Amino acid sequence: MLSRTYKKILDGMPSGVFVFDEKLRVKFTNAAFRRSCSDGAKYEGALSKVLGCGEEKRCGEGSACEFCAFYRTMRAAVAENTEKTETVHTKVRKGDRVDKLSVRIRILPIENKKLFLGLTDGTYQTEMEKEMLSAQQMQRRLLPAGKSMGGVPYSYMYIPCYGVGGDLPDVYELDGQTYGVLADVSGKGISAGMLSAFVRAGFDRKQPNLALALSNLNAKFNELDQDERSYITVAAVRIDRRTGSLKYAIAGHNVPILLKNAYGIHEIESPAPPISNWFDGVEYQEKELPFERGDLLVLLTDGITECVNAKGEQFGIERAENVLMQSRSAEDYIGKLKAALNVFSGGKFSDDITAIAFDL
């Protein structure tokens, strides 16, 4: 049907190509189309064999055939004898794994409508999803591992609105003191995830002075030569249980740090520009507050305070504080805050949701 030269050309195309007849028997598939199919799928023949769907009955007669997006679209194109275009969502099996596949199919009649040419855009979706899964796994390796650091119990939640998020919670120990860092980068998805990875690599964990750590991060960010739409907000704290001292530094983080003590809740704010290339010679400050055993310290991103419900109302800092007033510990707070956000938003988030809480 196709010469060897044409087959070679079609095999080099990034989009999937397949040719079938009026009986829906596939006569040709190119390399891109075959890569999107299950292991062991055939080069040509019955659609079920080409897709490797595993259906034992005759193609079109199995129990799952009415749900087969390819079969449904191809059958419609043949029945109407005209061009058909549709975006379909299906699944393909790769060994023991099932991948989701989103494909835009365009079918054109050829050779006096006895043969049909199918073109698919999105046949690499499975590869993209594997890359996304790898990015998720890599990002999760950057998350805090335990429930205590330097003798300070803590708890956190991290809910990216996409597979990969732009928030980065970090907890570590240096010279017997516990450090907490919460960064929120501009954007969402893969690009935000890459920027959050930069924060993890660029924030100097060996620098005890939080203001200097932020200044160094700002200098490294400016070396990236990002456009002015890119920026990073950071809230960083250092907890010294031996002296009862809490030190903190903030870079553009527009959600206050919350400290719950016997007198209520203290909102810690420190106006300062974010990590960006907006200003020259930016200097950050490290400030200090005393605390007592039993106090609770909370770092939040604006994904929590700006979380909206069906009415368009924001969750706000007041609701976050009300939850804190009812919480006995860091773990209790994170659990109650997560539940409150889910009820408020119906479980739908338009931004990354991240918080860290410490039992001081």
Side-chain angles (χ1 to χ4, degrees):
M1 183 183 68
L2 294 173
S3 69
R4 183 176 302 176
T5 300
Y6 284 136
K7 289 181 178 180
K8 186 174 182 180
I9 293 173
L10 292 174
D11 272 339
M13 292 180 62
S15 297
V17 177
F18 62 104
V19 178
F20 62 96
D21 61 17
E22 295 173 299
K23 296 182 180 180
L24 304 189
R25 291 190 63 83
V26 179
K27 300 296 186 178
F28 169 80
T29 55
N30 75 339
F33 185 88
R34 293 192 296 275
R35 280 197 296 270
S36 70
C37 297
S38 301
D39 295 334
K42 304 297 182 181
Y43 178 86
E44 59 182 330
L47 176 63
S48 60
K49 301 299 182 183
V50 172
L51 295 178
C53 69
E55 182 61 62
E56 295 181 359
K57 294 186 178 181
R58 186 175 176 181
C59 191
E61 298 179 356
S63 59
C65 290
E66 62 179 299
F67 304 106
C68 176
F70 279 93
Y71 178 77
R72 184 176 63 250
T73 308
M74 292 163 63
R75 185 177 58 184
V78 171
E80 298 178 21
N81 283 323
T82 187
E83 178 180 333
K84 295 288 292 183
T85 300
E86 184 177 353
T87 299
V88 297
H89 306 282
T90 185
K91 296 180 179 180
V92 295
R93 184 174 296 278
K94 293 279 188 178
D96 296 331
R97 189 187 75 247
V98 176
D99 287 330
K100 295 179 181 178
L101 185 65
S102 298
V103 184
R104 182 177 180 269
I105 299 178
R106 183 186 181 194
I107 297 177
L108 302 165
I110 56 177
E111 291 192 11
N112 296 322
K113 301 182 180 178
K114 292 182 180 180
L115 289 176
F116 294 81
L117 172 67
L119 304 171
T120 63
D121 294 321
T123 51
Y124 287 115
Q125 186 67 28
T126 53
E127 295 299 323
M128 292 174 63
E129 290 192 358
K130 285 190 288 185
E131 292 298 324
M132 178 67 79
L133 179 60
S134 296
Q136 292 175 22
Q137 292 172 340
M138 290 178 63
Q139 190 172 61
R140 291 196 174 275
R141 293 192 190 103
L142 301 178
L143 298 177
K147 293 186 176 182
S148 179
M149 183 64 64
V152 177
Y154 71 92
S155 184
Y156 75 94
M157 68 172 169
Y158 169 72
I159 307 174
C161 66
Y162 297 125
V164 178
D167 290 355
L168 181 67
D170 191 18
V171 182
Y172 60 95
E173 181 182 0
L174 178 65
D175 297 331
Q177 299 178 74
T178 302
Y179 289 73
V181 179
L182 185 54
D184 184 0
V185 310
S186 57
K188 300 180 181 66
I190 290 290
S191 60
M194 293 175 65
L195 198 51
S196 68
F198 159 78
V199 176
R200 177 59 184 269
F203 189 90
D204 188 358
R205 285 170 144 215
K206 296 182 179 180
Q207 172 54 255
N209 187 292
L210 298 173
L212 288 178
L214 291 180
S215 296
N216 293 338
L217 180 64
N218 191 62
K220 292 176 183 177
F221 178 84
N222 277 269
E223 292 177 0
L224 295 178
D225 197 25
Q226 296 283 302
D227 63 42
E228 61 184 17
R229 292 173 296 179
S230 296
Y231 62 90
I232 307 165
T233 66
V234 186
V237 297
R238 180 167 82 251
I239 303 166
D240 190 339
R241 270 193 162 186
R242 297 168 298 184
T243 62
S245 170
L246 168 66
K247 292 186 178 181
Y248 63 93
I250 300 176
H253 206 71
N254 60 352
V255 178
I257 301 171
L258 305 180
L259 177 64
K260 177 189 175 184
N261 52 37
Y263 302 100
I265 294 178
H266 178 56
E267 294 185 3
I268 304 173
E269 296 182 344
S270 181
I275 305 297
S276 66
N277 59 8
W278 300 348
F279 309 101
D280 294 327
V282 175
E283 294 185 1
Y284 297 99
Q285 296 182 340
E286 183 181 80
K287 299 182 180 181
E288 183 175 1
L289 277 176
F291 69 84
E292 296 182 358
R293 291 295 182 94
D295 291 350
L296 285 176
L297 176 67
V298 174
L299 309 182
L300 306 169
T301 62
D302 59 8
I304 292 175
T305 55
E306 296 176 3
C307 175
V308 297
N309 61 13
K311 297 179 181 179
E313 301 169 332
Q314 292 191 350
F315 189 77
I317 192 65
E318 294 82 7
R319 287 187 175 90
E321 291 179 355
N322 288 337
V323 174
L324 184 55
M325 286 297 294
Q326 302 169 30
S327 303
R328 302 181 305 274
S329 66
E331 185 175 7
D332 186 39
Y333 176 70
I334 293 298
K336 287 180 177 177
L337 181 62
K338 185 184 297 185
L341 286 165
N342 275 303
V343 171
F344 181 80
S345 68
K348 298 179 181 179
F349 304 120
S350 59
D351 197 358
D352 303 327
I353 303 294
T354 311
I356 316 176
F358 297 89
D359 288 313
L360 300 181

